[in-house]
């Protein structure tokens, strides 16, 4: 699910799935996104995850996503877990 970090959401492992978009990017763009997401500083961790279509069927490929790296800071606030950021803002 997503947790509310104020100005932006953080993806965490949990009981909710998250609907999102998948983009095909080259390695150079992926490294720029890593910098944007603070991967080198532990804010987010880039991780491969399985994906499902809207019918709930597992797809043959996995995708990169960014998992919130400071989960210890918000683990006590799981009541803020969301499945849609757009619906939140």
């Amino acid at each position: 699910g997503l947790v509310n970090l104020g100005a932006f959401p953080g993806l965490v492992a949990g009981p909710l799935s998250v609907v999102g978009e998948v983009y095909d990017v080259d390695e150079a763009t992926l490294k720029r996104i890593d910098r944007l997401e603070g991967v080198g500083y532990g804010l987010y961790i880039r991780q491969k995850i399985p994906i499902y279509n809207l019918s709930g069927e597992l797809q043959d490929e996995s995708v990169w996503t960014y998992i919130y790296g400071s989960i210890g800071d918000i683990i006590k606030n799981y009541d803020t877990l969301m499945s849609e950021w757009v619906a939140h803002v």
Side-chain angles (χ1 to χ4, degrees):
L2 299 173
V3 291
N4 182 353
L5 300 175
F8 53 89
L11 178 66
V12 297
L16 296 178
S17 61
V18 175
V19 175
E21 298 175 355
V22 176
Y23 297 92
D24 186 15
V25 299
D26 61 24
E27 191 64 31
T29 302
L30 192 56
K31 289 181 184 205
R32 286 194 300 273
I33 297 169
D34 284 351
R35 283 194 302 274
L36 176 71
E37 298 292 352
V39 169
Y41 303 101
L43 182 59
Y44 285 91
I45 300 162
R46 181 168 33 113
Q47 181 177 325
K48 280 225 173 191
I49 61 167
I51 57 172
Y52 298 82
N53 64 21
L54 293 176
S55 299
E57 300 164 330
L58 181 63
Q59 300 301 289
D60 291 334
E61 58 187 296
S62 57
V63 297
W64 288 113
T65 193
Y66 292 89
I67 306 294
Y68 183 55
S70 301
I71 189 67
D73 296 343
I74 52 86
I75 195 74
K76 61 187 172 293
N77 295 322
Y78 254 152
D79 59 327
T80 63
L81 202 58
M82 303 169 287
S83 61
E84 292 185 58
W85 180 252
V86 174
H88 175 72
V89 291

